[in-house]
Amino acid sequence: MNDGGGANFAGTIDGSQNEIRQRLRRVERQEWALWGTAATISLLLTGGIVSFLLPMLRTAEHTDSFSSLQTELIGLLAVVLLFDLYTIYQQLQIHRVRRQLSESQQVFRLISENAADMIAVVDVEGRRIYNSQSYERVLGYSPEDLQKSSAFEQIHPEDRERVREASVEARRTGIGRTLEYRMRHKNGSWRVLESTARVIPSVSGVPEKMVIVNRDITERKTAVEALRVSEASFRSVVEDAPYGIYQADDEGRFLRVNPALQRMLGYSTSDELQAVNLEKEIFRRLEDFRGMRETLHSQDEFKGLEIEWRKKDGTPITVRCSGRRVREEDGGSAFHEVFAEDVTDKRVLEAQLRMAGKMEAIGRLSGGIAHDFNNLLGVMIGYSQLLKRKMASEPNLLEYAEEIERAGQRAASLTRQLLAFSRQQILTPTVLDLNTLVADMEKMLPRLIGEDIAVRMELGDGLGTVRADRGQIEQVIMNLAVNARDAMPAGGVLLIQTANQDLDELYARDYPGARIGRYVMLSVRDSGVGMDRETISHIFEPFFTTKELGKGTGLGLATVYGIVKQSGGYIGVDSNPGQGACFQVFLPRVDEPVSQVSEVLSSAPEAKSSETILLAEDSDPLRKLAQSLLEGHGFQVLAAQNGEEALGLARQHTGRIHLLLTDVVMPGINGRVLAERLLVTRPGTKILYMSGYTDSFIRDHGVLDQRTNLLYKPFTEEKLIERVRSVLDAGLERLSTEHNSR
C-alpha cells in the first residue's frame, strides 16, 4: 500500500525530525516572548502603582477618600503580582510538557531508525506526513527524490489499481488488508513489498490519517519463485537453446534431444532422430565416437572438441562439442550430456580469412618490392631492346638479346600476377558490355586452349553493363579457359554464358562472401575431371595447384580471384569429381552506357622530337636508360637523381621545359611535390609520372586520378616514347589547375 492512497513513502526520519525540532523551537521562542511581554507589562503596572502609592504614604493628612484610594491601589498591586505568579506557573507547565514531547519524539525517532519495516503516515488526501528512515535504507531514495516524485510513481504499473482499491477499503473499514505489490528501487530494480494499513481517526471519529507498515519480501519471493520455475526454466533452456543438446548412453542410443539438434541434423521429428544411433549414423568416423567415450570415462568431461558429423541426407558438417558424464545417484547406468554447435560456416569463413591473410601478406611483399623490381626489369627490357637494335646484323647475338627481353617480360608478367591476386594491381576501369568482350575473344580462345576443345557461347539478351578493367576481365576469361583446358586433357566442351543475375539473401547465406545486389554473371563451365570439396576449399589460394611439379605456378585462379574482388564482384565454383566444374563470376551491374575505346599508338613515331624534358628518377640505371631512349628520339633531356636536383636544373635552364617526367616515389621530395613546385615558376610545363608501385600506394601520394598522366613500370622504348609524345600533344589540364581547385 502506498502513502498517498496506499503505500508510498515521503522522506526519511532525519528530514521529519529536523522539521519537528524547528517547529518546537519556534513555539518555544514565541512562548518566551509572550512571557517576557507579560512580565514587562506587570512590572510597568506595578511600578506605576508604587509611584502613586509612595507619595501618599509620606503625607501626613489622611482622609477617607485617600484611604479608599490607597486600599484600591494596594489591591491592584496584589492582582498584578498574582497575574505574574500565574504567568510564571503557566510557563513552567508549558516547558514541562514540551520536555515530555521532546522525549517522546526521541523515543519515536529511535524506534523508527531501528525498525526493519518501513513506516509511513499520510493524510486522507494522500499527502506525505512522515516516512521512516528504513524507506531510504531499503529503496535508496533521498528525501529530495521523494519530494519530487508522485505518490504512485514508484509502484509497478500493473499493481497501481490494486493499491488504490486497498487504500479505499482501508479508509472505509479502518484496517487495511495485507497486500503485496512491486515498488521500483532507485537503481531501477523492482522490490516486492508486503503492506498493512490502519486509519487514525480524528476526535469526531472521522478518518484523518493513515499509518502504513511495509515489509520488503523480495528475497523471500525470489527464492519461492526460483524454486517454482527451476524445472520450467531448465526445460525452456534445453528446448529453446540455439545449440544442439542431447543425452545418450555409452552405446550411442539417444535418451533425449532438443529441437536445435533435430534441425541441425535435418530430421523431421525428435522421435525420428532418437531412433538413430550416434556411433553408426551420426559420427562420420567411428574412432571419433569411441575417442569421445573414452575421454568421458577417464575425465568425466571435455570441452571444445571438433568432430565431423553427417546430416540425415549425408551432408557432412563440423560440430564443436562440449560434454560431461552423468552418474545416477540411485546407482543406475551413467549417460553423457553433450552440447553441439554447428561451426561449418565458421570454418569456411576462417578458411577464407586465412586465404585473404595469405593474399594480403604476399600482396604487401610484392607491393614492397614492386618499385625496385620494376626498375630492374625496366632496365633489362630497355637495354635488351637497344642491344637488339645494335645486333640486327648479327643473328646469333640477336637471339641472346631477345631471350633477355622475353625473360624480363615474363618477370614483369609474374609481378602483375602477384599484384593481381593480392588486389593491388593498377586498374583502368571503364563501362563494359561483357557480351561484346566475350564475342571479341571467341576467335582467340580456340588457339589458346586447342582444337580438341569445343567452345560454345550462350550470351544473354538485354545484358547490363559493368564497370571494370577490360584487360583484367580478359585475363579472367583466359585464366579460366586455361584452367578448363587442363581439366580436359582428352578434349571436351567449354561453355561460356552471360546473364543478368540478382543475388538474394538466400544465395548470400549459402555462399559466404557473396553480397545481395544486381549483377552481371559470367559463367565458364567445362566437362572435365571436376574437383572434390577439399580441392575447392583451396582452389583460390596463391601457389595452390593440382598440376605436376613444374607445370603450374598456382597463380592462375588466385589472379582471377583477386581481379574479381578488386572489381567489387564475387566468384564461386560448383564441381564434383567426374562432373566438370563451373566458375561463376558476378560483377556489379551499372546503369551507364558503354565507354568509348580510344585508339592509342602502337609504336613510337618516326619523326624526331626536339622538346626539352626534365627527367627525375632515383634509380641510376633506369635514369640513364630513359635519358638514352629519349635523346635517341631527339628530345633534350635534363636528368636529375632526385627532386632537389631537378629543381636546381630547372632554375639553371634558361629555355623552356616542355615536360617533367618524374618518378612518383623518391627520397626527399617526391614526384607530386616536385611537380607542384615546378609549376609555380614554369606553369606551362606538362607532367608525366612513372611508377612501379601499386595504385593504392600511388594514391596515398596524391597522384592517381582521371586527369593524371601515369606511365607504369617496367616500360618498353615504344611505350615510353608513345606516352611522352601523347602527353606533349594532348593538351590535358595541368596539375596546377587540379591543385588550385582543391
Side-chain angles (χ1 to χ4, degrees), residues 526-546:
D526 65 67
S527 59
V529 297
M531 297 174 286
D532 57 22
R533 290 183 177 273
E534 181 66 21
T535 302
I536 292 176
S537 66
H538 300 285
I539 196 68
F540 296 117
E541 293 183 5
F543 308 117
F544 175 81
T545 179
T546 58

Side-chain angles (χ1 to χ4, degrees), residues 173-245:
T173 62
I175 300 176
R177 57 184 172 85
T178 302
L179 177 68
E180 291 184 5
Y181 62 93
R182 290 162 291 178
M183 182 171 287
R184 186 174 59 244
H185 193 279
K186 187 176 181 180
N187 62 14
S189 62
W190 293 100
R191 309 296 293 179
V192 181
L193 304 183
E194 184 180 70
S195 176
T196 58
R198 180 178 292 274
V199 172
I200 302 176
S202 63
V203 177
S204 60
V206 178
E208 185 178 43
K209 297 181 182 65
M210 184 181 296
V211 176
I212 305 165
V213 179
N214 292 315
R215 176 170 295 175
D216 184 4
I217 60 171
T218 306
E219 302 302 330
R220 186 182 74 191
K221 292 289 292 185
T222 300
V224 173
E225 185 67 14
L227 183 62
R228 186 184 67 83
V229 303
S230 59
E231 178 62 25
S233 297
F234 176 76
R235 185 180 302 109
S236 176
V237 168
V238 173
E239 297 297 323
D240 300 334
Y243 305 118
I245 303 174

Side-chain angles (χ1 to χ4, degrees), residues 507 511 522 536 540 564 570-574 582-586:
Y507 186 94
Y511 292 87
L522 170 66
I536 292 176
F540 296 117
V564 173
Y570 167 74
I571 181 170
V573 56
D574 288 322
C582 178
F583 289 85
Q584 291 183 321
V585 175
F586 297 91

Side-chain angles (χ1 to χ4, degrees), residues 185-324:
H185 193 279
K186 187 176 181 180
N187 62 14
S189 62
W190 293 100
R191 309 296 293 179
V192 181
L193 304 183
E194 184 180 70
S195 176
T196 58
R198 180 178 292 274
V199 172
I200 302 176
S202 63
V203 177
S204 60
V206 178
E208 185 178 43
K209 297 181 182 65
M210 184 181 296
V211 176
I212 305 165
V213 179
N214 292 315
R215 176 170 295 175
D216 184 4
I217 60 171
T218 306
E219 302 302 330
R220 186 182 74 191
K221 292 289 292 185
T222 300
V224 173
E225 185 67 14
L227 183 62
R228 186 184 67 83
V229 303
S230 59
E231 178 62 25
S233 297
F234 176 76
R235 185 180 302 109
S236 176
V237 168
V238 173
E239 297 297 323
D240 300 334
Y243 305 118
I245 303 174
Y246 71 84
Q247 293 176 343
D249 60 20
D250 287 342
E251 303 303 321
R253 292 185 293 266
F254 283 115
L255 304 177
R256 183 178 181 183
V257 297
N258 74 332
L261 184 70
Q262 170 194 326
R263 293 190 298 269
M264 182 191 304
L265 295 174
Y267 288 86
S268 302
T269 64
S270 59
D271 292 338
E272 182 185 11
L273 175 58
Q274 286 186 262
V276 304
N277 186 274
L278 265 172
E279 181 180 9
K280 299 176 181 178
E281 299 175 72
I282 302 298
F283 278 73
R284 292 187 65 192
R285 293 185 290 270
L286 295 178
E287 56 269 22
D288 287 343
F289 177 81
R290 294 167 183 170
M292 185 185 74
R293 183 172 57 189
E294 291 173 2
T295 300
L296 288 171
H297 278 277
S298 60
Q299 301 179 13
D300 284 343
E301 66 177 6
F302 65 90
K303 294 182 179 179
L305 179 63
E306 290 198 5
I307 305 171
E308 296 294 324
W309 283 3
R310 56 172 170 261
K311 301 172 68 173
K312 179 183 178 182
D313 59 4
T315 304
I317 59 174
T318 302
V319 293
R320 187 172 185 268
C321 297
S322 298
R324 67 188 182 97

